[in-house]
Amino acid sequence: MYVFAVSLQEHRIHTKHGSVSVAVYGDEDKPALISYPDVALNHMSCFQGLFFCPEAASLLLHNFCIYHISPPGHELGAAPISPNVPVPSVNELADQIADILDYFGLGSVMCLGVTAGAYILALFATKYRERILGLILVSPLCKAPSWTEWLYNKAMSNLLYYYGMCSFIKESLLQRYFSKEVRGSSQVPESDIVQACRSLLDEKQSINVWRFLQTINGRHDLTESLKKLHCRTLIFVGENSPFHSEALHMISKLDKRYSALVEVQACGSVVTEEQPHAMLIPLEYFLMGYGLYRPCQHSCSPRSPLSPLCISPELLSPESMGVKLKPIKTRISLEV
């Protein structure tokens, strides 16, 4: 598989708002794609499915160097963060990303985020528009939490703080991430991806997860800021995601000339793990708008500039997104 030929380098970066771990895959001379996972996940539990899909791996790794950013304390083998360290705000996490780009000498980047991570990257895009090439958001959050979500997260936070990564917390997180089709039932065993995620959750430092949950529970509404974004944006959302309505709200506020929504049927929030193959064709058409292709399809250099100013006018048309600029459904059969 294409992905196995790529080396991984771990970096520990000290920013104005604390230290953060970044895992770098690929050739750093290529354009940059940064990723940010959901609560209690990291690049291994949130993006491995996508990058282990051979077609997607060849598309992304041929064209980009990947910078996987972990929320503070979410990287593999992380130690508990001291209680003396203040819990960062969502704005501070977005500012951390700017510091990371400066550390690596990066200008503008492509962004890939899932749920809470998608919110942080969308916030970053609204604050640092000149540093964004495009957004690929999966089951994103964009509004302030409703009272129901706020109270639920508060209850989860209390359980995390006092009881750690207990069974209730793990089940709640798995329901957040995955559809019932893969979570299983008394008659059907849970899928391998859910079992693997459950195992990785056991390794998480509960205080670190508590901190990120506290941060994301204090988020503010991005609606007005989104109206001013003019970067290309591709949104995926699982039909069974608890945040499905958030994705619909977000796409309704973005400029329709530059945005598209793909709804994936029989899927939860973490489409990158549950149904990564459903992302391939929309991703291919999205990246074609930047003159980027899979290596088997085109011989152009992956170092080709990604600036929309270098794209022919016809590629800036809505049709260049490759999907209709209204909600569409990608039907995936679960039968073998």
Side-chain angles (χ1 to χ4, degrees), residues 79-91:
I81 297 175
S82 168
N84 297 324
V85 176
V87 174
S89 67
V90 289
N91 279 299

Side-chain angles (χ1 to χ4, degrees), residues 53-314:
C53 178
E55 296 86 355
S58 65
L59 173 67
L60 296 173
L61 292 171
H62 175 68
N63 291 297
F64 296 102
C65 181
I66 315 299
Y67 297 78
H68 289 301
I69 302 172
S70 292
H74 279 52
E75 66 274 11
L76 292 172
I81 297 175
S82 168
N84 297 324
V85 176
V87 174
S89 67
V90 289
N91 279 299
E92 288 172 337
L93 291 187
D95 292 339
Q96 269 190 343
I97 296 172
D99 290 342
I100 291 167
L101 300 193
D102 291 341
Y103 175 88
F104 288 107
L106 301 174
S108 52
V109 296
M110 187 70 70
C111 297
L112 168 63
V114 175
T115 310
Y119 176 91
I120 298 298
L121 291 179
L123 175 60
F124 172 73
T126 64
K127 297 185 70 173
Y128 300 91
R129 295 178 202 167
E130 73 285 355
R131 308 199 76 166
I132 297 293
L133 292 171
L135 293 171
I136 304 165
L137 306 178
V138 181
S139 305
L141 303 174
C142 68
K143 295 190 290 185
S146 65
W147 278 109
T148 303
E149 183 193 348
W150 188 89
L151 287 170
Y152 186 77
N153 286 345
K154 201 68 176 174
M156 283 186 64
S157 293
N158 289 337
L159 286 171
L160 268 169
Y161 191 85
Y162 291 108
Y163 299 102
M165 191 62 73
C166 60
S167 296
F168 177 81
I169 293 294
K170 282 188 285 188
E171 292 305 320
S172 297
L173 289 171
L174 292 173
Q175 288 176 26
R176 174 189 177 97
Y177 306 148
F178 302 114
S179 68
K180 62 182 179 181
E181 284 83 359
V182 295
R183 292 202 314 273
S185 63
S186 56
Q187 289 79 33
V188 181
E190 64 184 20
S191 70
D192 291 343
I193 59 168
V194 176
Q195 291 179 20
C197 186
R198 185 187 296 277
S199 177
L200 288 169
L201 287 175
D202 283 332
E203 300 173 10
K204 284 286 180 292
Q205 297 289 348
S206 56
I207 190 64
N208 300 351
V209 176
W210 174 84
R211 289 168 59 87
F212 191 26
L213 191 58
Q214 290 283 98
T215 298
I216 209 67
N217 213 28
R219 68 186 188 271
H220 54 272
D221 195 326
L222 297 181
T223 298
E224 291 304 313
S225 300
L226 292 173
K227 294 176 182 178
K228 301 173 186 176
L229 271 185
H230 296 297
C231 65
R232 288 167 172 263
T233 304
L234 178 60
I235 298 177
F236 294 91
V237 64
E239 182 183 47
N240 299 326
S241 168
F243 310 106
H244 184 268
S245 62
E246 289 258 347
L248 296 182
H249 174 80
M250 187 174 196
I251 197 70
S252 72
K253 303 305 176 185
L254 291 169
D255 191 323
K256 291 180 171 57
R257 294 172 296 171
Y258 308 112
S259 57
L261 173 69
V262 179
E263 293 179 277
V264 183
Q265 292 196 334
C267 189
S269 297
V270 188
V271 183
T272 50
E273 288 294 313
E274 189 169 342
Q275 292 194 27
H277 47 284
M279 300 178 66
L280 178 61
I281 292 176
L283 277 175
E284 282 198 272
Y285 280 109
F286 180 73
L287 294 178
M288 280 180 192
Y290 295 92
L292 300 176
Y293 301 84
R294 277 200 284 162
C296 61
Q297 292 180 321
H298 204 272
S299 59
C300 70
S301 167
R303 293 183 176 86
S304 298
L306 287 177
S307 170
L309 296 176
C310 301
I311 301 170
S312 58
E314 59 269 19

